[in-house]
Amino acid sequence: MNQTERRIFLIKALLAEQPKYANMQIPANTDEQKRLLRSLFNIRMPKPVSEQFLQVQDEYLQEETARKGITLLEDLSPEKDNFYLWQGDITTLGCDAIVNAANSQLLGCFCPNHGCIDNAIHTFAGVQLRLACADIMLEQIVDEEPGKAKITPAYNLPCHYVFHTVGPIVKGCVTKEDENLLASCYRSCLELAALSRINSIAFCCISTGEFHFPNGRAAEIAIQTVTEFMVQKQSEMKVIFNVFKDLDYEIYKKLLRTN
């Protein structure tokens, strides 16, 4: 199969799972097909799928990521010591682990084609990631608490693992509890990474998007918490601060130069 054939196969398989979409026409336009496929990935509940589907899906997603271009840790230069700053799509970053800013259900974003990092990571990892998270939640029973961290395989992403952490949701002014919970997100991920013998980890800007944590203060907490951990544990772990927006890049650049 070529990419178009794989995409059509996956769309048909996912539509067949949704009786209400049985008569939906598959668009001829490539970009519209990609949007439809992503939407179907996004709304799919965690449930078993055939080996044939997984094989086609994995080939498709890995090829899509390769076409976007993979950035390896070795391609980056540190800003200072073992701290790196990289602006780009975290789903194309090749390192040991990336951090996902998850929600309390830990199942990924169900909103079709939403722009959050949770949506992107679950889309390009494949349906296996939601299944793995569902297994965690089935065993855990209750929602994931803010400030904790869980680890899963990364499946079709170029990294090896995904760390899932739920950041604080800011309502109005930032409180001390908000700051402590955000620091706990970074600390929990680092502690879990150390236990899992992870040598490199990429953090997104946790809580700064849909959860409304002010970008500048969030970056200060991120750098301070990671620095304290590295010193206390005498860790040689490589830490990548991944940003997407120009605003966050400038904030982190300035802070890493002055700290």
Side-chain angles (χ1 to χ4, degrees):
M1 287 185 182
N2 60 32
Q3 276 301 83
T4 300
E5 291 168 338
R6 293 184 187 112
R7 186 166 54 249
I8 296 298
F9 172 90
L10 294 171
I11 290 172
K12 287 182 176 179
L14 292 170
L15 285 174
E17 293 182 342
Q18 305 277 352
K20 61 183 177 181
Y21 300 135
N23 297 320
M24 179 178 287
Q25 296 296 311
I26 299 175
N29 180 275
T30 297
D31 288 339
E32 291 180 6
Q33 287 178 5
K34 289 183 177 182
R35 284 185 59 81
L36 174 58
L37 178 57
R38 180 164 179 166
S39 296
L40 292 168
F41 277 140
N42 296 158
I43 66 173
R44 186 180 191 271
M45 297 300 293
K47 56 185 176 181
V49 69
S50 71
E51 287 298 320
Q52 183 185 18
F53 180 94
L54 289 179
Q55 180 180 348
V56 175
Q57 176 212 246
D58 292 354
E59 291 172 353
Y60 177 80
L61 291 175
Q62 289 170 28
E63 176 63 22
E64 285 297 292
T65 298
R67 290 183 181 186
K68 288 189 290 184
I70 296 171
T71 299
L72 301 176
L73 175 62
E74 304 89 83
D75 300 329
L76 306 179
S77 298
E79 292 293 318
K80 54 179 289 187
D81 302 324
N82 288 322
F83 288 5
Y84 296 74
L85 176 61
W86 181 68
Q87 184 176 21
D89 178 355
I90 201 169
T91 66
T92 65
L93 186 56
C95 58
D96 284 348
I98 63 172
V99 174
N100 178 31
N103 57 47
S104 59
Q105 286 74 47
L106 220 67
L107 296 179
C109 172
F110 283 86
C111 182
N113 289 289
H114 192 256
C116 69
I117 194 169
D118 198 15
N119 187 294
I121 287 173
H122 273 267
T123 296
F124 292 101
V127 298
Q128 301 98 312
L129 184 57
R130 184 166 280 169
L131 283 164
C133 290
D135 288 340
I136 292 172
M137 297 307 288
L138 184 63
E139 182 176 344
Q140 183 168 295
I141 301 175
V142 298
D143 284 353
E144 180 73 355
E145 294 180 23
K148 307 293 186 180
K150 295 292 189 295
I151 183 174
T152 64
Y155 299 102
N156 292 293
L157 298 172
C159 58
H160 300 298
Y161 300 97
V162 178
F163 284 50
H164 307 263
T165 189
V166 181
I169 300 174
V170 175
K171 300 176 180 178
C173 295
V174 177
T175 66
K176 189 63 179 176
E177 182 182 8
D178 293 331
E179 294 183 337
N180 290 339
L181 284 173
L182 184 59
S184 181
C185 288
Y186 286 91
R187 196 178 305 110
S188 295
C189 287
L190 291 167
E191 289 171 350
L192 184 55
L195 285 172
S196 306
R197 299 187 177 181
I198 299 295
N199 294 315
S200 59
I201 185 169
F203 285 100
C204 63
C205 300
I206 301 168
S207 277
T208 60
E210 297 294 313
F211 288 5
H212 308 298
F213 208 108
N215 301 62
R217 184 63 185 128
E220 291 172 353
I221 291 170
I223 292 173
Q224 179 183 350
T225 305
V226 173
T227 300
E228 289 175 353
F229 179 90
M230 301 287 273
V231 172
Q232 290 170 1
K233 303 295 184 180
Q234 297 182 322
S235 174
E236 294 296 322
M237 194 184 311
K238 293 176 170 59
V239 176
I240 306 160
F241 294 106
N242 165 245
V243 300
F244 192 74
K245 298 177 181 177
D246 292 340
L247 169 65
D248 289 313
Y249 183 84
E250 294 303 324
I251 290 171
Y252 273 90
K253 191 80 171 177
K254 181 178 179 181
L255 289 173
L256 288 170
R257 284 176 177 173
T258 57
N259 279 272

